[in-house]
Amino acid sequence: MRVLSLGRWLRAGRVPPREPASRPSGHRHSGHRPQGPPQELPQGPSQKVSVEVLEHLEHLALVDFRDSEGVERLQKAIQFADQLHEVNTDGVEPMDSVLEDRCLYLREDDVTEGNCTKELLENARETVEEYFVAPPGNIPLVKLEGQKTFLQGSK
Amino acid sequence: MVARGCGGVWRRLRQRCAVRPGSGPFPRGERAVACNARGGMMSAGKSGLTPWIPVVGLEIHAQISSNSKLFSGSQVQFAAPPNSLVSFFDASLPGTLPVLNRRCVEAAVMTGLALNCHINKKSLFDRKHYFYADLPAGYQITQQRVPIAVNGSLSYSLCIDNKMSQMVTKTVRIKQIQLEQDSGKSLHDDARSQTLVDLNRAGVGLMELVMEPDMCCGEEAAAAVRELQLILQTLGSSQAVMAEGQLRVDANVSVHHPGEPYGVRTEVKNINSIRFLAKAVDYEIQRQIEELGNGGTISNETRAFDSKLGCTVPMRDKEGKQDYRFMPEPNLPPLILYDAKSLPANMNHQQVINIDWIRERLPDLPSVKREKLVEQYGILPEHSFTLLNEDGLPEFFENVVKQTQMKPKKVIGWILNDLLSYLKQHSLTVKESPVSSFLLADLLNLLEKKEISSTAAKQVMAIKAGNQKVLNKLIGLVQKKTQGRSNPVLVKQLLEKKLSE
């Protein structure tokens, strides 16, 4: 069974059904089954996300976790995704795209696009002589005036 | 750019350069390079100290020669009005998707075959994430997991002791070739504290060639890149002009003592010519040896080559080790290539790339061309190298040979010693030669029939070549008179017209 077939359950935001011995199985899945009531996130190996990792993530993804609720939401999201570990994927080849059986379309090497400078620049907040304008150096995390980020404050 | 797993690869490699006894102590302060074709050992500053082995690996980006970009239909052209060659996809506007350019795939397959690579019949595309103003999507589409070609080799030649007569062939292994997108261009305006971004180059197809660290000095690196350049130009997969950024070389350099693990490597960027490549690599090797010799350490950093000062300096903009968060490109299925055996029966030809078909149509590579010239005309191998090093010279030589009774072995002397040196003196390419192959053949015929002397022939060539020099002088005078207001191209045309009357 492919890992992605769990998608149906995950999208519904529910936990895949567990099977008490008495119920006829509509959906068989191998692997260990965690104990505990359904419709609740399994406790699993709870990984507390460290401040260092959070800062690293903030820097990489240019997001600001802003407050404890943001961090908590991340924690819950990780726990939710950890349910994937419940599935035994021994000997199953990973699938990285539902397109894997499709044909990759090859385009002829003709010039068919471009020459829309005006349209493109319309979207930019600031331009200089048909160039886009960016801050010097690299893109910094947007800082709220005077405020340190939540993580910096929590240290 | 962090080379994927490069540290580990470097450590696992056997020592590539031959070990030989130190060539004697170097006087302090002298920066002469000890490494040459014979071996990679360089002695330290004082006599009696353990010698150093330099290790050099190259990462090369070659811009694919194509009409349109790798994943979009915008034109590929050097020097166009800013942001005029940009499609909605190149600007990363929402709702756009990548569509792979067939020509780019063919270019990569050709290059892989020419470099003796194994072509992966199934290769994958990935996203490499990092933030920079000239990368609007926030990621670059590349081939990190399974590239299009792997495990190849490039053979190149070096002169021993600067004597053309003694040439040795070396090989550097090609780890992989992958297809990837180029980024846009950033112009830093420090005065106004801003960066101007031009996306014309964003999305242009690149072939990244990763070489194993089999080289040991600047001379080897330069020779390898020169040969690669000739191969790419012969294939037509890239025009490989370094000055126009079509061929970009980054060098990874480290030094270690024999028998010890590989040292910490630095990455050297901003190398704009083959000559500078040799200089940059040799400087960095020397710098590392001196630093370590003084008890210092080498940090795994990125350095830029300053061509004016002839040295490498740490780069300001690199922020520590990057985490690129590679992930499969979800919008592109695997790239499947076929060969004669696996060709699908009922598929549209335009959608199929046949590796064998491409292999059959590969042109003669430079090494083959050289062999043929030596065999056909009886010239020396080193002559064939000099011939192929100049664009158009082999054809010129062959044209002269066809039109003259003089033996090719004698003709080659006139081509390489007289014609080529005149061209070099006046900074002319073969195509711009004022002496045509017809004229030279005529001249050589007269020489053969002993109707003129060798000295006279040389004089005629000098006069003809000199005409160009005189012309340039006249243009200079006109510029002076008009105080730089005249159009030099137009002036040249008018003068040439006058002179031919």
Side-chain angles (χ1 to χ4, degrees), chain A residues 56 60 96 99 104-117 120 130-136 138, chain B residues 67-69 72-73 83-84 86 100-103 131-133 145 193 195-197 319 325 328 330 333 350-351:
Chain A
H56 185 55
L60 282 182
D96 47 52
L99 299 175
L104 175 52
Y105 176 75
L106 296 171
R107 182 177 56 87
E108 277 303 309
D109 186 26
D110 299 320
V111 176
T112 57
E113 296 176 285
N115 263 311
C116 48
T117 318
L120 288 174
E130 307 201 313
Y131 286 93
F132 294 101
V133 178
N138 210 343
Chain B
N67 299 326
S68 57
K69 296 184 179 177
S72 74
N83 293 307
S84 61
V86 185
L100 184 55
N101 180 339
R102 186 199 158 87
R103 156 70 189 162
F131 285 107
Y132 210 71
R145 285 168 298 155
S193 202
T195 302
L196 302 180
V197 177
E319 330 139 3
R325 291 164 293 145
Q350 195 271 340
Q351 288 299 311

Side-chain angles (χ1 to χ4, degrees), chain A residues 15-49:
Chain A
V15 168
R18 285 160 234 296
E19 302 169 28
S22 53
R23 217 185 295 172
S25 53
H27 177 94
R28 273 215 175 278
H29 63 100
S30 53
H32 71 273
R33 294 154 202 188
Q35 308 309 306
Q39 310 301 349
E40 222 181 71
L41 293 174
Q43 297 315 297
S46 67
Q47 299 155 21
K48 260 282 169 197
V49 189

Side-chain angles (χ1 to χ4, degrees), chain B residues 344-370:
Chain B
N346 44 3
M347 231 174 113
N348 177 6
H349 281 210
Q350 195 271 340
Q351 288 299 311
V352 169
I353 293 186
N354 182 344
I355 302 169
D356 289 332
W357 190 91
I358 295 177
R359 186 186 280 114
E360 282 160 27
R361 281 155 187 75
L362 285 177
D364 276 348
L365 294 182
S367 51
V368 172
K369 278 196 197 160
R370 288 184 202 117

Side-chain angles (χ1 to χ4, degrees), chain B residues 239-256:
Chain B
Q239 282 155 39
V241 176
M242 275 181 93
E244 285 182 17
Q246 290 166 346
L247 191 69
R248 289 167 238 160
V249 182
D250 299 333
N252 293 303
V253 180
S254 76
V255 296
H256 65 280

